[in-house]
């Protein structure tokens, strides 16, 4: 027993070594498997992405071997098919790609042949995990008819927690704000046009008389005059302006018989009238854009080179412009007169339909703020002319006789229809233009600030002919043709009043007709002077009020830092921000 004892240790050592080696082999295999799993997870996380509504592509690339590049790409499309493409590239040569497109439910990745089975396992496992990730995790199972009805009828409260995009309510709020802010701007522009219209009726005749006096003083004392009473080149512009008004009124519009024109229009076919109205509207806007430039050119030639032949050309251009534009507006008023007095209102329907035809031609176009500003100024002038023409037709019909209270109310009802159609057309047009072109409603107060700056003369120091010159040029308002047409219709109304009031003691204008028949010219001249003075006072008051409103708009409220004050147990913050004036160069 003592001899065998020492030999036991050498016999037990090989078994112990073998067990230790076996444990190491197991650990090595476990670590290798864990590394493979980690590689699979990392590759799937880095490469594969969840599907989206549009086409999505995922790619897996890793280096295997020496100079070999293994790549797998998976593409998912909305038609329910998944495409898996794998390719192997070498540094020296490249192999063609192989693609397979099968439905997502039965797609199996077919990698290319490579050295080593581990790479096949990695590619197949990655492609299968990719296909699993492409399937929506929230895809509902097969629905029954009852579950379908419940989902469609929104019976489940969990289905009612959805919300629309954040900007939907803001966009709708901007859409609903447009009519109110548009009407504020159009109302402000309407009174600007009224002020410019009254300027031609009141201030221009006074300037004409003063220029004639200065011219007479310079003729009596050449080169000297009588102190401040001396002729200047700018006085020539006032004389030419008033001469153009008198020439167009007396030599162009007076020979036209309003009665003959009325019956000629009434006897035309509706198709001809539709074309005629379209032509009048188009050329009216074109001539509005040319008129003020022609007058500015005339002023420049009067003050810079009055003896140049270009001066004669400018005068002729202004005279031709005033003639053509006055004839167009005269035809417009006559057409509107026929529409208002027709029993079937067919022509009135035709005129109203033109407003909505304008919506079609403007809404579906791309606009920016500058283009929208031009459309807005055109709408301002159009609304003023429409209101003035309706007033002229009412005065003409009342002075012609036969207008009792019932007929006047009927006329006012038709006028209301025309004005409401104009309002609706403007609201629809501007609301959808701003909606389709993403223009905010705050743009219209900016337009008002631009008009206020022109009215006060900001940015036009030293170049304004009068306080209405800059704003009239900005609006494109045609003063001279409108005044010529108004004078012609007022003369026709007075002529009818004198004829129908002769011998009728109950007629309102019987007294004035008696003065006219008796030849009391001094009394009639005093009456006309009183009307002129009343119009002049109205012009002065309106102009001063508009100037004050414009300055108030430009100054704006002073800035006050935000203050927190308690109201009803809570905190309310009041912020007053100073208004910003938009540079006129942006809308020039």
């Amino acid at each position: 027993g003592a001899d065998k004892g020492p030999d036991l240790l050498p016999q037990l050592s090989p078994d112990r070594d073998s067990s230790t080696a076996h444990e190491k082999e197991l650990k090595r295999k476990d670590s290798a498997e864990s590394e493979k799993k980690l590689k699979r997870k990392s590759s799937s996380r880095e490469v594969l992405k969840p599907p989206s509504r549009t086409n999505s592509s995922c790619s897996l690339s890793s280096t295997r071997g020496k100079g070999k590049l293994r790549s797998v790409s998976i593409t998912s499309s909305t038609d329910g098919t998944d495409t898996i493409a794998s390719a192997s590239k070498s540094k020296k040569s490249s192999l063609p790609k192989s693609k397979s497109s099968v439905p997502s439910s039965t797609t199996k990745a077919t990698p290319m042949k490579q050295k080593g089975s581990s790479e096949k396992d990695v590619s197949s496992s990655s492609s299968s995990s990719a296909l699993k990730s492409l399937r929506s995790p929230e895809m509902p199972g097969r629905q029954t008819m009852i579950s379908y009805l419940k989902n469609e009828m929104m019976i489940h409260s969990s289905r009612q927690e959805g919300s629309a995009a954040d900007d939907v309510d803001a966009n709708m709020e901007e859409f609903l704000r447009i009519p109110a802010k548009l009407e504020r701007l159009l109302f402000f522009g309407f009174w600007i046009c009224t002020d410019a219209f009254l300027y031609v009726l009141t201030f221009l005749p006074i300037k004409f008389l003063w220029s004639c006096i200065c011219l007479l003083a310079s003729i009596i004392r050449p080169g000297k005059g009588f102190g401040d009473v001396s002729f200047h080149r700018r006085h020539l512009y006032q004389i030419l302006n008033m001469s153009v008004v008198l020439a167009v009124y007396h030599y162009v519009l007076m020979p036209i018989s309003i009665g003959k024109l009325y019956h000629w229009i009434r006897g035309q076919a509706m198709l001809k009238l539709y074309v005629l109205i379209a032509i009048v509207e188009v050329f009216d806007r074109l001539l509005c854009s040319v008129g003020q430039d022609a007058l500015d050119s005339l002023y420049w030639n009067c003050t810079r080179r009055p003896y140049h032949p270009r001066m004669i050309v400018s005068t002729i251009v202004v005279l031709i412009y005033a003639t053509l534009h006055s004839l167009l507006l005269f035809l417009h008023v006559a057409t509107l007169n026929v529409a208002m007095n027709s029993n079937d209102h067919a022509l009135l329907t035709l005129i109203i339909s033109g407003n909505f035809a304008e919506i079609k031609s403007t809404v579906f176009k791309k606009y920016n703020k500058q283009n929208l500003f031009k459309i807005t100024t055109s709408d301002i002038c159009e609304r003023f002319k429409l209101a003035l023409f309706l007033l002229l037709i009412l005065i003409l019909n009342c002075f012609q006789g036969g207008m009792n209270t019932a007929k006047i109310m009927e006329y006012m009802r038709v006028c209301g229809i025309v004005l409401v159609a104009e309002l609706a057309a403007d609201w629809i047009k501007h609301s959808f233009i701003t909606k389709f072109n993403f223009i905010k409603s705050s743009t219209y107060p900016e337009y008002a600030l631009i008009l206020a700056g022109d009215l006060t003369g900001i940015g036009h120091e030293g170049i304004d002919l009068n306080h209405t010159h800059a704003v009239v040029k900005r609006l494109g308002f045609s003063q001279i043709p409108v005044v010529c047409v108004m004078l012609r219709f007022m003369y026709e109304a007075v002529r009818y009043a004198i004829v129908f009031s002769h011998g009728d003691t109950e007629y309102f204008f019987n007294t004035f007709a008696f003065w006219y028949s008796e030849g009391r010219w001094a009394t009639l001249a005093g009456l006309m002077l009183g009307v002129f003075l009343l119009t002049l006072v109205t012009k002065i008051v309106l102009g001063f009020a508009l100037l004050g409103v414009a300055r108030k708009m430009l100054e704006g409220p002073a800035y006050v830092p935000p203050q927190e004050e308690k109201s009803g147990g809570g905190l309310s913050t009041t912020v007053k921000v100073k208004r910003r004036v938009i540079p006129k160069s942006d809308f020039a």
Side-chain angles (χ1 to χ4, degrees):
D3 295 336
K4 294 179 181 179
D7 294 335
L8 293 175
L9 293 175
Q11 293 176 0
L12 295 174
S13 60
D15 297 336
R16 191 176 300 170
D17 294 338
S18 62
S19 63
T20 304
H22 181 66
E23 292 177 357
K24 289 181 179 180
E25 183 67 22
L26 292 176
K27 290 180 180 180
R28 188 181 62 80
K29 290 182 179 181
D30 294 339
S31 62
E33 290 178 358
S34 62
E35 287 178 0
K36 288 182 180 180
K37 291 180 179 181
L38 291 174
K39 288 181 180 180
R40 293 173 185 173
K41 292 181 179 181
S42 61
S43 62
S44 61
R45 288 176 182 175
E46 292 176 358
V47 177
L48 301 178
K49 297 180 181 179
S52 59
R53 295 180 181 178
T54 58
N55 294 341
S56 60
S57 61
C58 307
S59 62
L60 170 63
S61 63
S62 60
T63 303
R64 293 286 185 268
K66 296 181 179 180
K68 298 292 185 71
L69 180 63
R70 174 68 176 171
S71 63
V72 178
S73 63
I74 301 174
T75 306
S76 174
S77 60
T78 56
D79 56 357
T81 60
D82 299 330
T83 303
I84 303 176
S86 61
S88 177
K89 295 183 179 179
S90 177
K91 294 181 179 179
K92 296 182 179 180
S93 62
S94 61
L95 295 177
K97 298 181 180 180
S98 62
K99 298 182 179 180
S100 63
S101 177
V102 293
S104 59
S105 61
T106 61
T107 301
K108 293 184 181 180
T110 308
M112 297 179 64
K113 294 182 180 180
Q114 288 187 352
K115 298 177 182 180
S117 61
S118 61
E119 296 180 1
K120 295 181 179 180
D121 297 337
V122 172
S123 61
S124 60
S125 61
S126 61
S127 61
S128 62
S129 59
L131 294 177
K132 290 180 180 179
S133 63
L134 289 175
R135 297 172 182 173
S136 177
E138 298 181 359
M139 182 67 69
R142 182 176 295 177
Q143 287 186 345
T144 61
M145 182 64 72
I146 297 176
S147 62
Y148 171 76
L149 291 175
K150 288 182 178 180
N151 291 332
E152 291 297 325
M153 298 177 67
M154 304 293 288
I155 295 178
H156 295 293
S157 60
S158 60
R159 295 284 183 177
Q160 300 176 359
E161 295 177 357
S163 61
D166 296 337
D167 58 344
V168 171
D169 184 65
N171 292 338
M172 181 53 65
E173 187 176 358
E174 288 291 326
F175 182 80
L176 296 177
R177 285 178 180 175
I178 294 297
K181 294 194 175 183
L182 174 65
E183 283 304 315
R184 292 177 185 175
L185 176 62
L186 294 181
F187 184 76
F188 181 59
F190 177 85
W191 290 112
I192 291 177
C193 291
T194 305
D195 180 66
F197 173 75
L198 293 177
Y199 169 83
V200 180
L201 287 177
T202 55
F203 283 9
L204 185 60
I206 294 174
K207 288 184 176 183
F208 173 74
L209 292 177
W210 177 252
S211 299
C212 291
I213 293 172
C214 293
L215 178 61
L216 183 61
S218 297
I219 292 174
I220 295 174
R221 300 185 61 182
K224 295 181 180 180
F226 297 94
D228 295 335
V229 185
S230 61
F231 188 78
H232 192 269
R233 291 180 178 180
R234 64 177 177 272
H235 294 145
L236 179 61
Y237 176 75
Q238 309 297 340
I239 294 175
L240 290 176
N241 257 351
M242 195 65 192
S243 300
V244 168
V245 173
L246 295 176
V248 172
Y249 165 73
H250 190 270
Y251 294 104
V252 178
L253 299 181
M254 284 297 294
I256 300 175
S257 174
I258 295 180
K260 292 181 180 180
L261 182 63
Y262 176 88
H263 290 288
W264 179 81
I265 294 174
R266 195 166 188 175
Q268 298 300 315
M270 295 301 296
L271 182 60
K272 290 183 180 180
L273 291 178
Y274 181 79
V275 175
L276 183 64
I277 292 171
I279 291 174
V280 168
E281 290 180 354
V282 170
F283 280 94
D284 181 23
R285 295 193 176 186
L286 292 177
L287 291 174
C288 283
S289 63
V290 174
Q292 198 62 38
D293 292 336
L295 292 173
D296 289 346
S297 176
L298 177 62
Y299 179 79
W300 191 88
N301 285 283
C302 287
T303 55
R304 278 16 176 228
R305 47 182 186 182
Y307 303 104
H308 196 273
R310 176 64 181 167
M311 174 68 190
I312 301 176
V313 176
S314 297
T315 306
I316 294 175
V317 168
V318 171
L319 186 60
I320 294 174
Y321 153 73
T323 301
L324 293 177
H325 205 173
S326 299
L327 288 174
L328 280 175
L329 295 179
F330 190 78
L331 183 61
H332 188 189
V333 179
T335 307
L336 192 61
N337 188 19
V338 175
M340 299 298 290
N341 290 287
S342 59
N343 294 325
D344 55 353
H345 298 309
L347 185 57
L348 181 63
T349 306
L350 190 63
I351 294 175
I352 294 175
S353 65
N355 295 328
F356 294 94
E358 184 183 359
I359 297 175
K360 180 182 177 181
S361 62
T362 56
V363 165
F364 301 104
K365 293 182 181 179
K366 187 175 182 180
Y367 293 97
N368 51 22
K369 288 185 177 181
Q370 289 80 3
N371 297 333
L372 182 60
F373 181 68
K374 293 178 181 179
I375 294 175
T376 307
T377 54
S378 177
D379 292 338
I380 291 173
C381 299
E382 183 179 356
R383 184 168 296 188
F384 172 79
K385 286 187 286 189
L386 180 62
L388 177 64
F389 293 164
L390 291 176
L391 180 62
L392 289 177
I393 294 171
L394 176 62
I395 293 174
L396 181 62
N397 291 333
C398 289
F399 283 15
Q400 285 178 348
M403 289 290 289
N404 51 21
T405 305
K407 290 185 178 181
I408 292 177
M409 294 303 296
E410 177 66 19
Y411 179 82
M412 296 302 294
R413 185 185 68 84
V414 177
C415 288
I417 294 174
V418 174
L419 293 176
V420 168
E422 182 71 19
L423 290 175
D426 290 340
W427 292 357
I428 294 172
K429 178 175 64 177
H430 284 269
S431 297
F432 282 97
I433 285 177
T434 54
K435 174 181 173 58
F436 293 152
N437 296 277
F438 304 100
I439 300 176
K440 293 185 178 179
S441 60
S442 58
T443 305
Y444 292 98
E446 294 175 1
Y447 293 162
L449 291 177
I450 294 171
L451 297 180
D454 292 335
L455 193 62
T456 55
I458 295 178
H460 303 277
E461 291 81 2
I463 61 174
D464 267 354
L465 307 183
N466 50 74
H467 70 281
T468 63
H469 172 261
V471 69
V472 165
K473 187 175 182 179
R474 181 83 66 181
L475 292 174
F477 179 58
S478 53
Q479 300 166 285
I480 292 178
V482 172
V483 169
C484 293
V485 172
M486 189 274 301
L487 291 176
R488 177 65 182 90
F489 273 88
M490 289 301 297
Y491 173 81
E492 191 73 10
V494 172
R495 188 174 70 87
Y496 277 114
I498 293 173
V499 171
F500 282 100
S501 63
H502 186 70
D504 189 1
T505 57
E506 296 182 357
Y507 197 75
F508 178 75
F509 292 96
N510 180 59
T511 304
F512 307 117
F514 177 75
W515 293 344
Y516 180 80
S517 60
E518 294 293 328
R520 298 183 180 181
W521 305 114
T523 306
L524 292 176
L527 178 63
M528 293 178 63
L529 181 61
V531 173
F532 177 79
L533 291 177
L534 180 62
T535 308
L536 178 62
V537 171
T538 305
K539 164 67 184 70
I540 294 173
V541 172
L542 179 61
F544 185 76
L546 284 175
L547 190 62
V549 171
R551 288 178 177 175
K552 186 177 180 180
M553 290 172 62
L554 292 174
E555 293 173 358
Y559 175 76
V560 178
Q563 298 178 355
E564 293 183 353
E565 55 182 0
K566 294 182 179 180
S567 60
L571 294 178
S572 62
T573 304
T574 303
V575 181
K576 294 183 179 179
V577 183
K578 189 174 182 179
R579 293 187 177 95
R580 181 175 61 89
V581 179
I582 306 301
K584 299 181 185 62
S585 59
D586 296 343
F587 299 89

